Amino acid sequence: GNYTAYAKKDNVTSNEISFVAIEYIEPEKPIELTASTTTIIADGVEAVEFTVKQDNIDVTNETEIYINDNKIEGYKFTTTNHGTYKAYAKKGELISNEIEIIAEEYIEPEKPIELTASKNNIIANGTDKTEFTVTQDNVNVTSQSEIYVNGNKINGNSFTTTTPGSYNVYAKKNDVISN
């Protein structure tokens, strides 16, 4: 409001001065950005979820999230590009703290392999044999695979024996083991 003031001592009065008292507006509290994680796989699926609090109250829905200075839609971030990203939030003129998000390169897992045999039974005479084939996604990958009989790696992809019995056979390609 508008005010006028003067001083008085005994019968003497001072000059009047006028002043205005304006409303005190408390400054807005800072906003704080938090992330559900700071490391994701850049597979386009794994996401970081952001939350924004002001004076310990969730105000996420009143804010905008920025990644590398670009506003994103919503409050989740996902990417297929590996690298380091900087995230912050805005609420009006307020800008939050910055969080570093690391998107690690997505390495597609190798597909399963399947081992087949030309024969499931052979005569244990040292000449009768079975030939093994290894396929991955319907592609013959025998030459890129190792074949094991009873836990021992064999040379090539054929097997013969003079010892009758049952044998356990599997194939291995990189870190993938067959059926």
Side-chain angles (χ1 to χ4, degrees), residues 112-124:
I113 59 174
E114 185 177 346
L115 175 69
T116 55
S118 61
K119 296 190 218 177
N120 288 331
N121 295 300
I122 59 171
I123 299 169

Side-chain angles (χ1 to χ4, degrees), residues 36-93:
S36 59
T37 183
T38 55
T39 304
I40 59 171
I41 302 297
D43 61 1
V45 176
E46 196 170 328
V48 179
E49 289 190 52
F50 295 105
T51 303
V52 183
K53 290 194 174 179
Q54 186 176 37
D55 202 23
N56 220 19
I57 297 168
D58 188 334
V59 293
T60 306
N61 292 337
E62 301 169 38
T63 63
E64 297 171 332
I65 306 294
Y66 290 80
I67 302 290
N68 291 351
D69 294 323
N70 296 308
K71 182 180 169 225
I72 65 170
E73 291 298 318
Y75 307 102
K76 289 183 183 181
F77 171 68
T78 186
T79 184
T80 55
N81 298 316
H82 67 282
T84 302
Y85 296 84
K86 301 284 185 197
Y88 62 90
K90 280 186 178 181
K91 180 181 179 226
E93 296 298 313

Side-chain angles (χ1 to χ4, degrees), residues 28 82 101:
E28 216 174 346
H82 67 282
I101 305 296

